Amino acid sequence: GGATWTKIEKAAPLYVRGYAQSLNDIAEVVAAGEISKGDAKMFVANAKLLLIMGIANTSHIILAQVQKFMDGVIKTLKTAINASLPVAIL
């Protein structure tokens, strides 16, 4: 994965910190009486959705890197197999 893994390693904690900060902010404005508990539940659901989207995005990036790696492995195998056959069939 090269630099991709390093980027994921740096970005992943941001999703969790962002979620935690959102929950803290929501709790503070409820405590201050600026929004109702009902509204807070909606904001909490939105914060959770953003966290899930971040996790899904990270999962997609990982899967894309695994696919790229596997494509390279398959290409190498095909080349080696074709080279060892009297006629390339792959």
Side-chain angles (χ1 to χ4, degrees):
T4 301
W5 302 118
T6 303
K7 290 175 184 175
I8 289 171
E9 187 177 54
K10 289 179 182 177
L14 295 176
Y15 298 132
V16 176
R17 283 197 295 269
Y19 179 64
Q21 184 62 54
S22 293
L23 296 180
N24 186 62
D25 293 346
I26 293 164
E28 284 182 5
V29 295
V30 169
E34 295 176 27
I35 64 170
S36 69
K37 287 184 181 181
D39 286 343
K41 288 182 182 184
M42 177 186 63
F43 292 129
V44 168
N46 287 337
K48 181 180 176 184
L49 179 61
L50 289 174
L51 175 63
I52 291 168
M53 288 170 47
I55 292 168
N57 182 56
T58 301
S59 297
H60 177 73
I61 292 168
I62 291 169
L63 288 174
Q65 288 298 313
V66 169
Q67 183 66 52
K68 183 177 176 182
F69 171 76
M70 292 306 296
D71 289 346
V73 170
I74 291 169
K75 182 179 178 184
T76 301
L77 288 173
K78 282 182 176 181
T79 301
I81 291 169
N82 281 334
S84 67
L85 297 173
V87 175
I89 60 171
L90 294 179

